[in-house]
Amino acid sequence: MSGTHSSLPAPIARVWEPLRERSRSKRALLLMAPLLVFELLLFVAPFLILLRISLTSGSQDLRYAAGTWSLEGYAEVLSSGVLQDAILYSFKLGLIATGITVSIAVFYAYAIWRAEGAIKSALLFSVILPLLTTLVVKTYAFRPLLSPTGTVNDLLLSLNLVSEPIQFVPGTIGVIVGQVYIVLPYAVLAIYSVLSTMDWGIVEAARDLGASRPRSVLEIVVPQAMPGIIVATVISFAWSVGAYAAPGLLASQRVPFAIEVEKRLLSNLQWEIATAYAVIMLLLMAASIGVLTVTLNRFGGEFEYA
Amino acid sequence: MSEITLDGLAKRYGEELAVEDVSVTIDDGELLCLLGPSGSGKSTTLRMLAGLETPTDGEIRIDDEDVTDRPAYERTTATVFQDWALFPHKSVLENVAFGLKMQGVGKEERRERAREMLERVRMTDHADDDPMNLSGGQKQRVALARSLAVNPDVLLLDEPLSNLDKRLSEDMQIELREIHAELEETFVHVTHDQDEAFTLADRIGIMADGNLVQVGEPNEVYQNPKNRFIEGFLGDTNFVEGVVDRTSPDAVRVETELGREVVVPTSNPDALDAGDAVSLSLRPEALSIESADAGLEADEAGQPVRTDGSTTNSVVGTVESVLYRGSTVRYSVAVEGTSVFAERTVSDSGEFETGDEIRISWDGADVLAFRDDGSRVDL
């Protein structure tokens, strides 16, 4: 994005630039108008308000001191060990959950793509099924499953695999399991939508030329599915780093960024800190998604293993 | 360089029979064309050879080694696919080098060898292009180079020319022949196009309903088709239905729907009995046409006699339509209740028009006869 529109906020520029390139007619702009208004009202305007609040100073009895200018919030974020620790924890959760989610999703999408008839429908339906249940209920369901007295531990104990129960929940493992479960359907659908347009013939061609089954997946299927894998990664990562429901229901003492923000907003009433925290997090997210996308894109073409 | 043996090869998909029984030995260095209409099982046979389908029954041997259960990537075959199946995310050069990469050939060497292959198919200029931006003919060349690059024992071609226009396809046929002559490798080429098969093949295998009906040199299968299906499939011909009236030691007389008796000379009068139903094939190239009143008289038996005294079969009919087909003109002629077509080269003078009365005549020795069940009568 360059030229006169570089000053536009990213979401608008993202919508505007391709439009400008594809069509110079006003009609395209007119068609996009509802979306632009939507973005403006529900993203850009609130974000500007948030940005303004992050630049105020704190107040003893109010949420923030309106009308003041100060960098207090940012200073607090940059010096507070607690806040930085939450950011690190968020990214750790995000990376692990994304890695697990995308790996499972690639295999699952491949299975749907290759399946036929009733099996294909069953596989597709079982991806969509969890989306029909509310997030809180399905996430909360992991507590009786994964708690020290839960089903999984009962099973492990009765099989003599462990001598005493493991505390998956509350804890990091529980949060990751819950988060993977939340984002997996979206990741599977993103990858499957790309795979479904792919020609099986080119996989056969690769095998015919001597590529073993795993090799043909690695050389042909993965690079072809890369646009879907990138979408799946970005969805999983952004959602997991900013996760609120799974950590809220399944985490122990260590909490990620979203829970910390909630505490500052609702309990501590330190809005200047909470908003500054959010702005910094947004920048970090944008940067890391950029890095992820560029890295993954390199694997879309020819690449070497040895 | 390999001899391939197919022995009782069959493929069923559930209840559906794709290939019933294919047995043939393909000689080392031979170019065999599997020719048949769509659904005849020729592509399935080729896919079994490639290892992309597992036979339900039968055996495949390459150089006396049973490869029936070997997956495609462990076979020394390479396939050129109908839609070419180029890897869209790889450059032309990377496509061609792919097989060598799978063989573990180092980067520099495989790129060099891929370049040589591209040179052979005259695609060097496009080495760094995106294969999706190439024309059909160019894609075809790249697919060919990609398959040849692995130096396969057998090259399998699955209708690779069927998506090209006629002119391009004919150029490619000649080029394929040249490449085959140069490499002396075994080629198996699947096609539904008779002209393509006749141009390319050392031998043609004709498939129908999952069976290999006849295998032979192009000339042989054309001159000596085993059954009515092959006669009809290999070229346009007139089938005339009839019933044997009587046989004599040197000829069979057939009462036909042309409204007159057709005399077919035979050295095997016992092949047919009076009353047998037969179809006679009158190929357009065996028919000559002239004005209805041109130099013919009837002898005592009612057989027309040329002014030079030779007897001949002939019928008179009315031109129904005239079809210009480039170098030839096709006349469709109404004779009694049926219709017969004959062809002439455009340069032949004396063109006829719709409504003209013309005489169609032929040499009885050029007629092929088939029984009710489609089998050929050995005359």
Side-chain angles (χ1 to χ4, degrees):
Chain A
M1 284 164 235
S2 59
T4 50
H5 297 280
S6 62
S7 55
L8 285 173
I12 292 192
R14 208 163 48 220
V15 171
W16 173 246
E17 284 295 328
L19 247 178
R20 216 163 58 103
E21 271 167 34
R22 275 184 208 158
S23 158
R24 302 212 164 251
S25 80
K26 294 272 188 289
R27 197 193 304 169
L29 190 64
L30 204 64
L31 284 168
M32 293 299 286
L35 189 61
L36 288 174
V37 170
F38 184 83
E39 286 269 356
L40 217 61
L41 279 180
L42 294 175
F43 184 79
V44 180
F47 183 76
L48 290 176
I49 295 170
L50 184 138
L51 198 64
R52 177 66 188 95
I53 295 173
S54 76
L55 291 168
T56 60
S57 60
S59 161
Q60 286 300 317
D61 29 62
L62 292 168
R63 293 158 180 155
Y64 59 96
T68 58
W69 290 93
S70 160
L71 287 172
E72 269 174 39
Y74 291 94
E76 173 65 16
V77 174
L78 294 178
S79 62
S80 159
V82 177
L83 293 178
Q84 286 169 16
D85 186 58
I87 290 181
L88 282 179
Y89 187 62
S90 279
F91 274 93
K92 187 176 130 193
L93 283 182
L95 282 174
I96 297 174
T98 302
I100 296 174
T101 305
V102 174
S103 309
I104 298 175
V106 168
F107 281 103
Y108 201 105
Y110 183 80
I112 300 176
W113 181 46
R114 292 301 299 145
E116 278 171 26
I119 298 176
K120 191 187 196 100
S121 310
L123 285 173
L124 259 174
F125 186 65
S126 58
V127 174
I128 295 163
L129 197 63
L131 299 179
L132 305 178
T133 323
T134 140
L135 198 80
V136 174
V137 169
K138 68 187 176 196
T139 307
Y140 199 81
F142 282 110
R143 291 182 72 144
L145 261 179
L146 296 176
S147 74
T149 54
T151 319
V152 172
N153 270 307
D154 285 349
L155 200 67
L156 290 177
L157 285 169
S158 65
L159 291 172
N160 282 326
L161 290 172
V162 294
S163 52
E164 52 189 272
I166 303 168
Q167 184 177 318
F168 299 115
V169 169
T172 302
I173 293 181
V175 176
I176 289 170
V177 170
Q179 189 58 28
V180 168
Y181 190 73
I182 291 170
V183 293
L184 186 63
Y186 302 94
V188 169
L189 292 176
I191 297 173
Y192 173 66
S193 68
V194 175
L195 275 184
S196 63
T197 63
M198 190 176 135
D199 174 18
W200 175 245
I202 63 171
V203 181
E204 286 194 330
R207 298 213 176 138
D208 187 61
L209 291 167
S212 62
R213 281 158 201 276
R215 195 79 196 266
S216 62
V217 170
L218 219 53
E219 290 274 354
I220 306 299
V221 180
V222 170
Q224 282 284 294
M226 201 41 86
I229 292 176
I230 291 173
V231 171
T233 305
V234 170
I235 292 176
S236 305
F237 186 72
W239 197 335
S240 303
V241 170
Y244 176 77
L249 292 166
L250 304 169
S252 55
Q253 293 89 5
R254 258 196 109 178
V255 291
F257 146 85
I259 305 288
E260 195 61 42
V261 166
E262 183 204 29
K263 197 169 95 191
R264 304 281 163 157
L265 279 175
L266 302 182
S267 315
N268 299 15
L269 295 185
Q270 299 166 308
W271 281 33
E272 79 289 354
I273 296 175
T275 49
Y277 199 31
V279 170
I280 286 176
M281 199 60 190
L282 184 79
L283 294 176
L284 287 174
M285 281 299 292
S288 45
I289 286 175
V291 169
L292 270 179
T293 311
V294 168
T295 314
L296 287 175
N297 251 328
R298 293 173 54 110
F299 290 94
E302 170 90 334
F303 55 107
E304 299 291 325
Y305 292 100
Chain B
M1 296 276 269
S2 292
E3 183 184 272
I4 307 161
T5 309
L6 308 184
D7 193 0
L9 213 54
K11 178 70 185 179
R12 254 178 295 278
Y13 297 102
E15 289 293 294
E16 199 186 330
L17 193 69
V19 173
E20 192 175 353
D21 179 10
V22 172
S23 299
V24 64
T25 297
I26 304 160
D27 296 333
D28 189 6
E30 182 179 30
L31 200 165
L32 178 83
C33 272
L34 288 179
L35 175 65
S38 37
S40 60
K42 56 191 191 308
S43 277
T44 309
T45 304
L46 196 83
R47 287 173 59 81
M48 289 193 278
L49 256 172
L52 297 169
E53 301 282 352
T54 316
T56 318
D57 220 337
E59 204 177 81
I60 301 168
R61 288 189 300 276
I62 298 180
D63 279 339
D64 274 333
E65 203 178 334
D66 186 348
V67 299
T68 317
D69 296 318
R70 249 190 238 174
Y73 50 87
E74 285 174 11
R75 289 193 194 188
T76 53
T77 58
T79 311
V80 181
F81 294 91
Q82 182 167 12
D83 56 1
W84 311 306
L86 298 178
F87 307 128
H89 58 286
K90 293 176 187 286
S91 73
V92 165
L93 189 73
E94 286 161 354
N95 261 278
V96 178
F98 184 82
L100 296 169
K101 184 179 177 183
M102 295 303 107
Q103 288 174 1
V105 176
K107 190 168 183 173
E108 284 313 309
E109 194 193 336
R110 70 178 186 245
R111 286 183 158 259
E112 196 178 312
R113 280 167 63 183
R115 232 169 252 288
E116 282 168 23
M117 274 302 150
L118 285 176
E119 215 163 296
R120 169 168 268 152
V121 298
R122 304 198 308 276
M123 285 292 293
T124 322
D125 293 347
H126 297 279
D128 299 319
D129 287 3
D130 179 345
M132 295 303 106
N133 295 335
L134 301 179
S135 71
Q138 292 171 329
K139 284 182 187 171
Q140 211 277 326
R141 285 164 195 278
V142 175
L144 185 63
R146 183 177 70 175
S147 295
L148 289 174
V150 297
N151 195 18
D153 287 336
V154 186
L155 186 70
L156 307 172
L157 302 115
D158 188 5
E159 307 210 33
L161 308 181
S162 62
N163 288 335
L164 303 180
D165 61 57
K166 191 167 164 14
R167 173 76 193 282
L168 202 52
S169 159
E170 284 169 0
D171 288 349
M172 278 312 296
Q173 289 168 24
I174 291 162
E175 222 165 299
L176 270 179
R177 261 226 85 99
E178 284 168 5
I179 288 174
H180 177 248
E182 193 182 331
L183 297 177
E184 297 177 330
E185 270 171 21
T186 312
F187 281 31
V188 181
H189 184 111
V190 159
T191 180
H192 62 265
D193 182 322
Q194 304 86 346
D195 294 339
E196 192 175 310
F198 281 115
T199 309
L200 282 172
D202 293 327
R203 281 195 303 163
I204 294 179
I206 293 159
M207 293 200 62
D209 300 329
N211 287 293
L212 191 59
V213 186
Q214 185 174 8
V215 185
E217 289 175 14
N219 192 36
E220 186 198 326
V221 290
Y222 189 73
Q223 299 298 342
N224 210 358
K226 207 168 168 182
N227 63 28
R228 188 187 151 132
F229 165 78
I230 296 172
E231 173 70 359
F233 185 68
L234 289 185
D236 290 336
T237 187
N238 295 292
F239 282 113
V240 176
E241 308 301 328
V243 177
V244 176
D245 183 36
R246 58 200 159 94
T247 61
S248 59
D250 61 350
V252 179
R253 286 166 186 275
V254 182
E255 198 62 55
T256 67
E257 55 185 338
L258 295 175
R260 62 160 301 126
E261 217 165 54
V262 171
V263 183
V264 186
T266 178
S267 52
N268 184 16
D270 300 331
L272 288 168
D273 292 317
D276 285 356
V278 291
S279 340
L280 304 178
S281 166
L282 306 179
R283 291 185 177 174
E285 71 261 26
L287 302 179
S288 56
I289 52 179
E290 56 210 329
S291 279
D293 46 3
L296 280 169
E297 295 164 7
D299 66 6
E300 312 85 66
Q303 278 297 0
V305 179
R306 286 187 184 278
T307 40
D308 62 7
S310 64
T311 59
T312 181
N313 286 293
S314 83
V315 289
V316 175
T318 314
V319 176
E320 279 180 323
S321 66
V322 182
L323 205 63
Y324 289 89
R325 291 161 56 98
S327 58
T328 60
V329 184
R330 174 176 288 194
Y331 298 98
S332 180
V333 184
V335 181
E336 294 289 318
T338 184
S339 169
V340 174
F341 71 88
E343 284 177 350
R344 263 200 174 184
T345 57
V346 161
S347 57
D348 268 359
S349 57
E351 281 181 18
F352 304 106
E353 285 171 17
T354 308
D356 286 358
E357 288 268 302
I358 62 171
R359 178 178 297 278
I360 302 175
S361 49
W362 63 91
D363 184 345
D366 290 334
V367 174
L368 301 178
F370 301 91
R371 288 192 188 82
D372 253 1
D373 61 3
S375 65
R376 168 93 180 276
V377 179
D378 185 17
L379 290 169

